[in-house]
Amino acid sequence: KHPSLDIPIILQSLIQLILRSGGLSCVGIFRVAAQVDDILYLRSKLESTSGEIVPNVIEVDDPHIPACVLKYWLSEIRYPIIPSEYYETMTRNPRDWSTIEKVIADFPAVHRNSLYYLINFMQHVVAVSENKMNITNVAIVLSPTLCRCPGVDAIMVMQQTMLESELCVTLLKHIPKVYKIV
C-alpha cells in the first residue's frame, strides 16, 4: 500500500504496540506465547486497518500478543528481512562484522532499513535486564525469523541454527543505533 515507506508499517506498529504495553520490562518477552485467540484477534485487526499506524487504532494490554504476531509476521513474509541471496555469505562467517556490514549495505533499502529498525528495537530489549532477555536469548528467538536456511535437509538446517544465532549476536552487538525507537 505504501511503496515509498522505508520500513513496513506493520513492523513499526507491532514494535510500538510491544513498547506501549510494557514489553521492554516483561519477563520472557518473545519467549512466552500469547493465547491463540488473542493472536488471531490482533492479526485480524491489523489486516483490517487501512495503512494506519496501528497503535493509534488498537490497544493491547499484553505485550506477548504483539511479540508473537511480530515473530509470526517475520517468519511468514514472502521476502525475509535478510534476503535469501545473502544468507550463505552472512552465515559463513557470522562473527565477521566488516564482511556482514558490507553485505547489509547491498541489501535492498527496505530490507536494510527494516533490519536496522528491528535490531535497534531488540538492542533496547537486551538492555533491560528485568525481562531476562540477554543477547543470547534474543539471538535464539530472533534468528529463525531473520535467517531462512535455504536447505531442506533437516541435519543441515539444524547445523545452521548455531551459525544463525551467532549472526544475530553479531548484528545485536554491531548495528549502529540509527532509529530512535524508545
Side-chain angles (χ1 to χ4, degrees):
K1 272 188 173 178
H2 304 281
S4 64
L5 282 179
D6 290 344
I7 301 163
I9 286 177
I10 186 81
L11 179 59
Q12 295 176 55
S13 296
L14 288 168
I15 287 173
Q16 291 305 313
L17 283 170
I18 293 166
L19 291 170
R20 289 184 184 184
S21 59
L24 284 183
S25 60
C26 183
V27 174
I29 191 69
F30 294 105
R31 285 188 317 203
V32 175
Q35 296 294 315
V36 174
D37 289 345
D38 294 334
I39 293 168
L40 293 173
Y41 175 77
L42 179 56
R43 285 183 58 202
S44 72
K45 292 297 268 182
L46 290 168
E47 290 169 7
S48 70
T49 63
S50 48
E52 297 178 55
I53 299 290
V54 174
N56 298 332
V57 180
I58 301 171
E59 284 295 320
V60 175
D61 294 330
D62 179 359
H64 296 295
I65 300 167
C68 287
V69 173
L70 176 59
K71 285 179 19 182
Y72 177 81
W73 179 77
L74 289 168
S75 66
E76 294 295 318
I77 53 176
R78 181 179 298 160
Y79 303 106
I81 290 181
I82 294 179
S84 302
E85 59 268 28
Y86 299 101
Y87 175 87
E88 186 180 329
T89 305
M90 293 185 75
T91 57
R92 188 177 315 124
N93 294 300
R95 295 181 182 157
D96 181 1
W97 173 243
S98 63
T99 299
I100 292 168
E101 186 176 32
K102 290 174 189 160
V103 171
I104 292 171
D106 287 339
F107 279 17
V110 71
H111 291 260
R112 183 178 51 256
N113 295 336
S114 296
L115 178 65
Y116 273 55
Y117 190 82
L118 178 63
I119 294 296
N120 286 174
F121 167 65
M122 291 300 197
Q123 289 166 332
H124 287 289
V125 172
V126 168
V128 179
S129 62
E130 64 193 270
N131 64 31
K132 303 199 185 304
M133 291 299 290
N134 62 33
I135 197 166
T136 303
N137 291 340
V138 169
I140 288 168
V141 298
L142 188 59
S143 62
T145 62
L146 282 184
C147 306
R148 293 200 196 147
C149 181
V152 291
D153 176 43
I155 294 172
M156 183 185 124
V157 171
M158 290 302 292
Q159 291 171 338
Q160 289 296 108
T161 301
M162 187 183 323
L163 297 173
E164 293 168 358
S165 288
E166 288 178 24
L167 172 62
C168 284
V169 167
T170 301
L171 296 172
L172 288 160
K173 285 181 177 178
H174 296 285
I175 281 188
K177 290 181 174 57
V178 175
Y179 295 99
K180 185 175 185 331
I181 296 174
V182 177

